[in-house]
Amino acid sequence: MSGQDVFGAAPDADAIEGIARDTIARLPQAFAAHLGDVLLLVEEEADAETLAALGLEHPLDLTGLYHGRPLGEKSSMDSGTMPDRIHLYRQAILVEWVETGVRLDDLVRHVTVHEIGHHFGLSDDDMHALEDAVAD
């Protein structure tokens, strides 16, 4: 699938995940080495509990979310916690894709890098630089 197929069925969760995993594979080794325990999940949309916690009313308002503690805040005393997770929300990504006309692979790459950035505690400027590093 190309990054901008506009005819036929909407890209499924596997297609979104494939783009996200390709993005992760392109990360500089310094970042990739610290993502081994982070789960990547592609879901149809955020659940009501997640939306409420973020003060959002509609699931299409959230394309991705990082659940976990940034690396710089982790402690060797942490135990029994859920693994860090990156959630990509397919329906919201597809709506943004259609509304903006941005290439699907560029959009998924952007959301994926943004959530990875939260894992590392990066600033928005650092996230943009990382996104440029993984671009085609």
Side-chain angles (χ1 to χ4, degrees):
M1 182 183 96
S2 78
Q4 193 66 16
D5 288 339
V6 293
F7 299 105
D12 62 12
D14 289 340
I16 302 287
E17 181 177 343
I19 296 168
R21 292 209 180 275
D22 180 65
T23 297
I24 292 168
R26 294 170 180 257
L27 288 170
Q29 181 57 30
F31 289 95
H34 297 284
L35 288 173
D37 294 333
V38 178
L39 299 176
L40 174 65
L41 305 165
V42 179
E43 301 168 303
E44 284 302 301
E45 59 186 34
D47 61 34
E49 181 180 350
T50 298
L51 294 172
L54 296 172
L56 298 173
E57 294 183 16
H58 199 280
L60 297 181
D61 292 335
L62 186 62
T63 56
L65 182 67
Y66 170 72
H67 276 122
R69 290 179 63 192
L71 281 180
E73 297 177 15
K74 290 188 183 286
S75 165
S76 62
M77 302 302 284
D78 292 341
S79 68
T81 60
M82 294 286 291
D84 293 350
R85 300 169 316 278
I86 293 173
H87 298 261
L88 302 179
Y89 299 112
R90 179 179 167 269
Q91 292 295 325
I93 288 171
L94 294 179
V95 167
E96 186 170 328
W97 174 48
V98 169
E99 288 179 350
T100 64
V102 171
R103 288 174 47 101
L104 181 62
D105 55 347
D106 289 342
L107 178 57
V108 173
R109 181 182 311 112
H110 172 77
V111 175
T112 302
V113 168
H114 185 85
E115 302 316 325
I116 288 169
H118 288 302
H119 174 67
F120 289 101
L122 300 178
S123 69
D124 283 343
D125 287 342
D126 291 337
M127 287 182 207
H128 291 297
L130 185 57
E131 187 174 350
D132 290 344
V134 299
D136 291 335

